[in-house]
Amino acid sequence: MSTSAASHLPPSYPDRAAWGTAPKLRAWQQEAYDLYRRREPRDFLAVATPGAGKTTFALRIATDLLARGIVRAVTIVTPTEHLKRQWADAAGRVGIAIDPEFKNSQGATSRDYTGVAVTYAQVAMHPALHRARTEARKTLVIFDEIHHAGDSRSWGDGVREAFEPAARRLALTGTPFRSDVNPIPFVTYAEDGEGVMRSVSDYSYGYGPALADGVVRPVIFLAYAGEMRWRTRAGDEIAATLGTPLTKDQIGQAWRAALDPKGDWIRQVLQAADRRLTEVRRGVPDAGGLVIATDHETARAYARHLRAITGEGATVVLSDDPDASKKIKQFSASQERWLVAVRMVSEGVDIPRLAVGVYATSTSTPLFFAQAVGRFVRARKRGETASVFLPSVPTLMGLAGEMEAERDHVLDRRPPEEGLDDFLLEDANRKKDNPDVVGDELPFETLEAVATFDRVLFDGGEFGTAAEPGSPEEEDFLGLPGLLEPDQVRTLLSRRQSEQLKAARKKPERKEPERAPHEVLADLRKELNGLVGAWNHRTGQPHGVIHAELRRACGGPAIAQATAEQVQARIDKIRQWATQRR
């Protein structure tokens, strides 16, 4: 084993380095490695955006420390079983033999191995064993996605006990933020100007700089809205438009209706995503797509939709499938179009050819979203773009618009009610049989779910106008070339939006057909009843009480005698309540 092996390691497995990288290491990897050699620290935290090449950087340090005799063994700690094998494969390419099948019950591994790969959970189960192994030989411990060591007190305490004697510790993360206040072991914290303790990295390489360097792909987010209609357990029919201001309950239920495989919304979005994949494959022939599903049942249903759309089967990876790692590896090396996974997309899926994604899950924490999008940003050559399709939901729109935001782990503060929790990443490896979207505790039947193209989000900007699926306006964005520089993406998006707005101004205004008064009143009553049903689910108040309170607030007779103007006033009032009351 030699250091030259790691110095020629391509930054992105299994493909060649991206255009513009140094012959041996990417510029950031070389800079971080040089900093490490100058300092020779016992602890080092490197923060680098997903897809930047943290594995290459870490293995370069490992080969150097082994060659110089500073360490004699390597322990790699990962969040998932799949990643243990992935690290072992990568290390093997540079001459470091890592045992990914090591079990606590073994106590020791074969002399053929330089070290082992274990999970955080495995360490927490028997920290004394791993401490003994660490003490027996001078060891480099590589913590992959170190923020997982703060998932629970037992995990953090186990990691501390096991690896406190290590000769060297190298911590890596692509998303160094959490919502809890559990300190991450072996990470330094310092007080900022506001008196808050924040994590301090030794080297940081964010998405923005990586994008400028051509190390990662630009991400185009394509948001889809649509008309949803569902029936609640109480028998109320509720209609809502995804992408318009709604109450939290309405957003959750409309979102659930959109993801329901029995509705047309997900089918139309999958069709659009497949058309986008076809366009991308013109420039990137092996480009693949990933659908992130919420549970096993919907994953299989989405795969059936994709077969009907493409004529080809999709690879389905379920979290309790013992062959999941094998399927991921086979898909990565193939030319197949689509992979459907049940939320196994955090650090567990590393497929550089993924270029198109469909975010068809309800999980919306910033950490999960960042890890999911990270599956698509790995660049193999200059100009590749990534496209992610998602529901037009405020939470997701906000996260997509903040792609380049950087966060540190903050201590001394109360966790937010809906913050940056990453327990769902661990949960992604458990069996999911039922939907878990917001509002899933309110059984209902999806009656209608129709998609409309909403807009494109890129580099903090929004482009495009609302359009029907299959329309020329939608095709303007689905047909973007698959090979574009970031500035070319922005220029082209701006041009197409300008052309659409110009064309819209030239179109004569379409007059809506006249409706009879009874039709108008019937629709208003239906809308009001739907809103009352949603308010009932939110507050627990009986429908009659809600109607009475609306009547007191707005005046007028009972609903059966109310005019269209009076019913509209009550609709406006209940919407006002939804925005003002918690």
Side-chain angles (χ1 to χ4, degrees):
M1 189 260 314
S2 67
T3 57
S4 63
S7 66
H8 291 285
L9 188 68
S12 178
Y13 291 112
D15 298 283
R16 64 184 184 279
W19 180 92
T21 60
K24 296 181 179 180
L25 290 176
R26 287 174 170 163
W28 84 263
Q29 294 164 336
Q30 188 66 54
E31 187 177 53
Y33 172 72
D34 291 343
L35 176 65
Y36 186 90
R37 284 298 304 267
R38 286 197 303 273
R39 292 183 180 177
E40 293 287 353
R42 187 181 182 197
D43 288 295
F44 192 90
L45 172 61
V47 176
T49 189
K54 293 185 289 295
T55 303
T56 301
F57 165 69
L59 292 177
R60 179 68 180 90
I61 288 177
T63 56
D64 174 63
L65 294 177
L66 288 166
R68 290 193 286 145
I70 294 174
V71 300
R72 298 293 183 187
V74 177
T75 296
I76 301 168
V77 190
T78 74
T80 66
E81 290 288 331
H82 173 74
L83 267 182
K84 287 165 50 176
R85 300 176 185 88
Q86 190 168 288
W87 270 93
D89 290 345
R93 293 189 183 99
V94 297
I96 303 175
I98 296 294
D99 180 6
E101 305 299 335
F102 176 79
K103 302 290 190 296
N104 288 349
S105 57
Q106 293 174 224
T109 189
S110 167
R111 291 183 181 179
D112 292 338
Y113 293 111
T114 305
V116 300
V118 295
T119 64
Y120 288 99
Q122 189 176 343
V123 172
M125 289 173 65
H126 203 333
L129 165 68
H130 296 279
R131 184 183 183 94
R133 294 190 63 261
T134 304
E135 290 175 330
R137 303 168 73 188
K138 292 188 294 185
T139 302
L140 164 68
V141 183
I142 298 173
F143 298 105
D144 188 20
E145 303 297 346
I146 183 65
H147 56 269
H148 284 278
D151 269 333
S152 69
R153 190 169 185 83
S154 63
W155 283 27
D157 290 346
V159 165
R160 275 193 192 85
E161 180 182 348
F163 302 118
E164 190 280 328
R168 294 287 179 94
R169 292 181 290 254
L170 175 60
L172 310 171
T173 183
T175 46
F177 50 90
R178 306 176 51 80
S179 67
D180 59 45
V181 293
N182 292 331
I184 299 172
F186 312 123
V187 169
T188 300
Y189 291 86
E191 189 175 304
D192 64 10
E194 299 177 353
V196 176
M197 300 297 290
R198 291 184 179 274
S199 59
V200 178
S201 61
D202 295 283
Y203 189 88
S204 182
Y205 187 63
Y207 176 77
L211 185 61
D213 292 344
V215 169
V216 295
R217 301 167 176 153
V219 181
I220 304 168
F221 292 97
L222 297 101
Y224 278 72
E227 299 297 324
M228 310 296 154
R229 191 164 57 87
W230 62 92
R231 182 182 292 115
T232 69
R233 179 170 53 186
D236 298 315
E237 286 192 17
I238 300 177
T241 302
L242 199 65
T244 61
L246 300 170
T247 67
K248 181 179 177 180
D249 285 346
Q250 285 176 322
I251 291 172
Q253 293 179 33
W255 190 351
R256 179 177 178 178
L259 300 183
D260 190 336
K262 295 189 289 292
D264 286 335
W265 188 95
I266 189 65
R267 181 183 57 79
Q268 291 169 325
V269 170
L270 290 173
Q271 282 181 326
D274 189 67
R275 293 203 301 275
R276 177 69 188 140
L277 181 60
T278 296
E279 185 59 45
V280 171
R281 285 169 77 108
R282 297 183 197 279
V284 187
D286 69 338
L290 168 66
V291 181
I292 304 166
T294 293
D295 60 80
H296 291 192
E297 183 181 345
T298 55
R300 295 188 182 97
Y302 294 164
R304 290 193 292 271
H305 279 318
L306 287 168
R307 176 177 284 279
I309 292 166
T310 67
E312 302 175 16
T315 298
V316 179
V317 177
L318 305 178
S319 50
D320 63 344
D321 185 349
D323 295 325
S325 293
K326 182 179 178 181
K327 288 182 178 180
I328 290 170
K329 195 170 184 177
Q330 289 175 341
F331 182 84
S332 181
S334 74
Q335 297 268 333
E336 293 178 34
R337 292 178 74 87
W338 284 101
L339 172 71
V340 183
V342 180
R343 303 200 314 183
M344 275 188 64
V345 296
S346 54
E347 300 91 348
V349 176
D350 186 12
I351 307 171
R353 71 184 188 91
L354 287 179
V356 176
V358 179
Y359 196 89
T361 177
S362 60
T363 310
S364 57
T365 64
L367 180 55
F368 186 88
F369 186 84
Q371 292 287 7
V373 174
R375 300 314 96 203
F376 305 97
V377 301
R378 297 180 181 275
R380 296 175 298 170
K381 64 180 179 180
R382 193 83 185 190
E384 290 182 337
T385 59
S387 304
V388 176
F389 291 70
L390 71 174
S392 190
V393 174
T395 304
L396 299 183
M397 298 296 96
L399 294 174
E402 296 172 359
M403 260 294 287
E404 297 183 29
E406 311 244 355
R407 296 181 176 92
D408 294 315
H409 182 211
V410 178
L411 299 181
D412 300 338
R413 62 171 172 78
R414 294 180 60 191
E417 184 178 338
E418 293 180 60
L420 308 169
D421 299 308
D422 66 352
F423 67 89
L424 287 171
L425 302 186
E426 178 191 1
D427 187 48
N429 289 313
R430 301 184 185 134
K431 184 175 180 180
K432 295 292 292 183
D433 290 315
N434 300 302
D436 63 350
V437 287
V438 177
D440 67 346
E441 72 283 359
L442 305 173
F444 69 84
E445 176 189 2
T446 301
L447 301 176
E448 183 181 17
V450 180
T452 56
F453 173 75
D454 187 8
R455 54 194 146 145
V456 169
L457 290 85
F458 178 75
D459 193 25
E462 297 184 2
F463 307 86
T465 55
E468 295 299 316
S471 66
E473 291 81 6
E474 182 196 43
E475 291 297 332
D476 279 346
F477 296 102
L478 297 182
L480 291 171
L483 292 172
L484 286 174
E485 294 293 320
D487 57 340
Q488 293 175 321
V489 174
R490 175 172 275 280
T491 299
L492 194 52
L493 288 172
S494 298
R495 184 190 309 153
R496 295 200 171 173
Q497 175 172 262
S498 177
E499 290 170 352
Q500 287 185 359
L501 292 173
K502 190 182 297 182
R505 285 194 293 269
K506 290 180 180 178
K507 285 183 181 177
E509 286 191 22
R510 191 178 67 178
K511 290 187 177 180
E512 292 292 330
E514 291 270 339
R515 290 194 302 162
H518 72 89
E519 292 178 312
V520 174
L521 192 53
D523 286 346
L524 287 172
R525 286 174 179 167
K526 186 176 180 180
E527 182 180 0
L528 178 60
N529 286 332
L531 291 169
V532 167
W535 193 250
N536 160 260
H537 289 307
R538 181 173 177 178
T539 64
Q541 289 180 289
H543 290 224
V545 172
I546 299 170
H547 277 293
E549 191 174 343
L550 284 169
R551 184 178 173 186
R552 283 195 299 272
C554 301
I559 187 69
Q561 289 80 41
T563 65
E565 184 178 354
Q566 290 167 333
V567 176
Q568 182 63 58
R570 296 176 195 184
I571 290 172
D572 295 340
K573 176 58 68 175
I574 197 170
R575 288 189 184 280
Q576 182 184 357
W577 290 351
T579 58
Q580 291 179 348
R581 295 188 188 181
R582 287 188 170 274

